Amino acid sequence: MEISATMHPDIKEVLLTQEQIQDIVRQVGARITEDYRDKNPLLVCILRGASVFMADLIRAIDCPLTVDFMAASSYGNSTKSSGILRIDKDLQTPIDGRHVIIVEDILDSGLTLSYLKKNLESRNPASVEIAAFSVKDVAGRTPRLEPKYVGTHVPDAFVVGYGLDYAERYRNLPYLGILKEEVYE
Ligand code: 5GP
């Protein structure tokens, strides 16, 4: 892909191209296939950001699985976590006895995922693991949890694209990039 020709003007830097993303997703999918071959896992997509990763990931997993969707909000239109979590849409499937994999776009402080993981664990599943497309590295900070499957690490900046938004925009960018500060300052 010719990045400079297709890069959105609000993007400061492309972190991962479409091709690099597809390589990452293939690797995560292969690991999940290996680990869950006879377990019929339930992949839970956290809307809306993880929807693009989810769509690619399930096609990179070569074993029977089912899918469900949840929505939780913590950020609103801001670029910093509010610390407030709310379940806006719950699962339609009972998960008792199921092997659950939470599919998330990005782990920053880990607050959202630690809350969601506890919530799902209280419903008697056989297991709950996390597949995060990206984990944000912040100097001097340890995230609240370590996902079993991590696609990539990103620097401490606000990233958009590949499902990730700012105020609902940029989700459709096929690459992952850092948003220019002037867009949100
Ligand atoms: P945490 O609770 O781990 O601090 O934040 C996780 C959630 O915050 C993610 O699911 C995502 O919705 C949002 N988030 C965190 N960092 C970023 C970022 O760099 N870009 C975007 N678009 N969303 C982010």
Side-chain angles (χ1 to χ4, degrees):
M1 183 176 73
E2 185 50 61
I3 293 169
S4 55
T6 56
M7 196 169 90
H8 193 284
D10 293 345
I11 300 302
K12 184 161 104 180
E13 185 190 333
V14 172
L15 293 174
L16 291 173
T17 65
Q18 203 170 350
E19 288 74 16
Q20 289 169 322
I21 289 172
Q22 292 315 318
D23 276 351
I24 289 168
V25 174
R26 264 195 294 274
Q27 284 168 30
V28 176
R31 284 186 58 205
I32 293 177
T33 303
E34 196 62 34
D35 295 348
Y36 287 84
R37 203 172 284 287
D38 303 312
K39 293 185 173 163
N40 185 29
L42 170 69
L43 275 81
V44 173
C45 172
I46 308 305
L47 297 170
R48 289 184 280 258
S51 56
V52 180
F53 176 43
M54 176 80 163
D56 285 344
L57 181 63
I58 59 172
R59 287 175 293 175
I61 299 174
D62 187 20
C63 70
L65 59 81
T66 59
V67 301
D68 205 342
F69 300 84
M70 259 180 115
S73 38
S74 73
Y75 267 47
N77 280 355
S78 161
T79 57
K80 286 273 174 271
S81 183
S82 64
I84 300 165
L85 288 151
R86 196 180 62 200
I87 291 187
D88 299 316
K89 184 208 170 300
D90 209 340
L91 298 174
Q92 287 186 297
T93 330
I95 62 165
D96 54 301
R98 296 293 306 272
H99 290 282
V100 176
I101 304 174
I102 303 174
V103 179
E104 179 59 307
D105 48 13
I106 188 165
L107 184 135
D108 187 356
S109 67
L111 188 68
T112 312
L113 278 178
S114 60
Y115 170 80
L116 282 167
K117 190 164 186 262
K118 274 200 198 85
N119 181 291
L120 294 182
E121 278 167 350
S122 72
R123 306 182 196 190
N124 291 320
S127 65
V128 182
E129 296 292 353
I130 294 167
F133 177 73
S134 56
V135 170
K136 197 178 284 190
D137 285 335
V138 179
R141 189 188 72 181
T142 315
R144 282 163 189 250
L145 42 80
E146 187 62 42
K148 181 160 186 188
Y149 306 99
V150 174
T152 187
H153 288 259
V154 296
D156 185 12
F158 194 74
V159 301
V160 294
Y162 197 59
L164 284 164
D165 75 312
Y166 171 64
E168 293 305 324
R169 294 185 60 200
Y170 312 107
R171 291 193 197 278
N172 56 326
L173 295 180
Y175 51 82
L176 192 74
I178 297 177
L179 190 64
K180 286 181 180 166
E181 282 88 358
E182 59 257 39
V183 177
Y184 55 83
E185 268 169 2

